[in-house]
Amino acid sequence: MKKNTKRFIQTILLGLTLPLSSIAKAAEDSPTSPPQPNSTKRVVPDPEKSRIQALEDTLKQNHLAHQINILQAQGSPFLTLYRSALTGDSQGCAILLQSDNEHPDWPSVISPLRNALPKYSWCTVSIEIPDITKRAQAVKIPTKPLATGTQDPPSKKITLPNQEMVFARIQATIDDAKSKGNNKQFVFIGYGTGAAYALHFLAQNKTLGDALILIDTLTPSPTTDYDLAQELSVIEQPVLDYYFDDSAQALRFAVWRKQAANQRKGETGEFTQLTATDEANAPVEDVQQVLQRVRGFLKQNTAQTEQLKSIPAYKKGLFYESP
């Protein structure tokens, strides 16, 4: 009985061992298979691209697709919104530059100006400006010491973020506007960081513009407010400096801009500095103030073409009697 029990246990153990050895041998004989790559693709969000696409879709839904004008600069396309003058005698073309993380039809300042100026004989072109600060990045606060008003002008040239690309887009926009017959005069209107680009572009290309309008100028890092303000000392064209006096830094920056403008030599255009409340969050009626300031400045500081459109003739009635 004991022998039978022992044989029975040995038979069970042998039966369990054979499958395990077969599996081990098969694993040794088969080649090692490489790990399968993860087939799931990660989608990296692109806020700028999504913002521009949403703008295009909105314009098309509102039957304004004819304002969309895609241009090329440095081998890549960019969006511009073009509106021709709504009168027969165009005064010229206004090129609008948006602020950081915005789009060419931004509700604050940019959209009201680009849609209102054509009524006053100006064509408008609003340009897509690439983002400076990515949404996922933390905003870097400059650690440089504050400048004083007695400092000497900087000895080195400043370089703004994406400067080469932005300047190429401005040049492509000017060339396209000229091809459409808008070659009388060009004015640059910059809002926020767009004002910094407009100022720096005109300082580097003094013959490509006839007037400069700065609205709530913001300096992109790492350039300092003081260094950017010195660019006004070489601007020969008329300048409207419209700023929001909402902080000590804004007031200090405005003082530096005025000081630099006062250092201009020779025959230069008028430098007009005006202050206002923060209209980015202001009621609609305050936007009218921006339009009035810009329109008044252009009327007084640019070459105004006499409007040739005649007054419509009065249609006399059938039984009209001359007095």
Side-chain angles (χ1 to χ4, degrees):
M1 186 68 179
K2 289 182 179 181
K3 289 182 179 181
N4 292 337
T5 304
K6 186 176 181 181
R7 287 178 182 177
F8 178 73
I9 294 173
Q10 289 177 348
T11 302
I12 293 175
L13 292 175
L14 181 61
L16 293 174
T17 305
L18 287 174
L20 292 175
S21 61
S22 300
I23 294 173
K25 189 174 185 306
E28 292 176 359
D29 294 341
S30 63
T32 305
S33 58
Q36 295 295 326
N38 188 3
S39 59
T40 304
K41 295 182 179 180
R42 294 185 179 180
V43 178
V44 180
D46 189 340
E48 180 183 350
K49 185 176 179 180
S50 302
R51 190 186 318 125
I52 297 300
Q53 186 60 56
L55 172 60
E56 289 190 42
D57 294 342
T58 300
L59 291 171
K60 291 176 182 178
Q61 292 171 5
N62 293 333
H63 308 287
L64 297 175
H66 58 277
Q67 297 182 6
I68 299 174
N69 187 30
I70 305 298
L71 300 179
Q72 291 277 339
Q74 293 186 329
S76 61
F78 67 98
L79 174 70
T80 67
L81 299 182
Y82 175 83
R83 291 204 62 183
S84 59
L86 298 180
T87 60
D89 305 297
S90 174
Q91 302 290 351
C93 207
I95 298 177
L96 293 92
L97 307 177
Q98 76 209 29
S99 192
D100 189 25
N101 290 128
E102 296 182 356
H103 59 62
D105 197 34
W106 198 253
S108 297
V109 177
I110 295 297
S111 181
L113 285 176
R114 87 170 192 89
N115 288 305
L117 289 179
K119 302 175 185 176
Y120 304 105
S121 304
W122 287 91
C123 101
T124 60
V125 188
S126 187
I127 304 177
E128 174 193 351
I129 301 298
D131 289 349
I132 300 172
T133 305
K134 305 301 180 184
R135 291 298 180 91
Q137 289 181 345
V139 177
K140 296 181 180 179
I141 301 176
T143 57
K144 296 180 180 180
L146 293 176
T148 62
T150 58
Q151 279 185 296
D152 294 330
S155 58
K156 61 182 182 66
K157 294 182 179 180
I158 67 173
T159 302
L160 302 179
N162 305 317
Q163 174 177 306
E164 186 177 352
M165 179 183 294
V166 174
F167 283 14
R169 291 185 177 186
I170 295 175
Q171 185 62 61
T173 301
I174 293 175
D175 295 340
D176 181 70
K178 287 182 177 180
S179 70
K180 292 181 170 63
N182 302 295
N183 53 7
K184 291 183 179 179
Q185 56 186 339
F186 288 93
V187 299
F188 297 103
I189 303 177
Y191 172 53
T193 54
Y197 285 118
L199 170 58
H200 192 42
F201 178 83
L202 195 55
Q204 299 293 316
N205 304 273
K206 299 179 181 179
T207 62
L208 294 183
D210 297 276
L212 174 65
I213 297 175
L214 309 174
I215 302 176
D216 191 28
T217 307
L218 298 176
T219 307
S221 182
T223 303
T224 65
D225 286 347
Y226 181 82
D227 289 344
L228 182 63
Q230 302 314 303
E231 298 276 274
L232 280 166
S233 63
V234 298
I235 298 293
E236 300 174 355
Q237 292 81 355
V239 179
L240 171 62
D241 183 15
Y242 193 69
Y243 72 99
F244 305 144
D245 184 10
D246 55 359
S247 67
Q249 180 182 357
L251 181 59
R252 181 173 57 244
F253 190 16
V255 171
W256 288 336
R257 293 195 302 272
K258 188 171 184 178
Q259 289 175 347
N262 290 338
Q263 295 171 4
R264 299 186 296 173
K265 299 178 181 179
E267 294 184 3
T268 60
E270 189 75 19
F271 176 79
T272 305
Q273 190 174 67
L274 301 171
T275 183
T277 56
D278 184 359
E279 282 145 16
N281 300 310
V284 177
E285 55 266 20
D286 286 343
V287 176
Q288 281 300 120
Q289 188 181 52
V290 178
L291 299 178
Q292 291 173 2
R293 302 283 194 183
V294 171
R295 185 192 170 200
F297 170 80
L298 292 175
K299 191 173 183 179
Q300 296 177 7
N301 295 276
T302 60
Q304 294 291 301
T305 304
E306 183 180 356
Q307 300 298 302
L308 303 179
K309 188 175 181 180
S310 59
I311 299 175
Y314 178 73
K315 295 182 179 180
K316 300 180 176 67
L318 179 62
F319 300 102
Y320 172 80
E321 292 183 5
S322 179

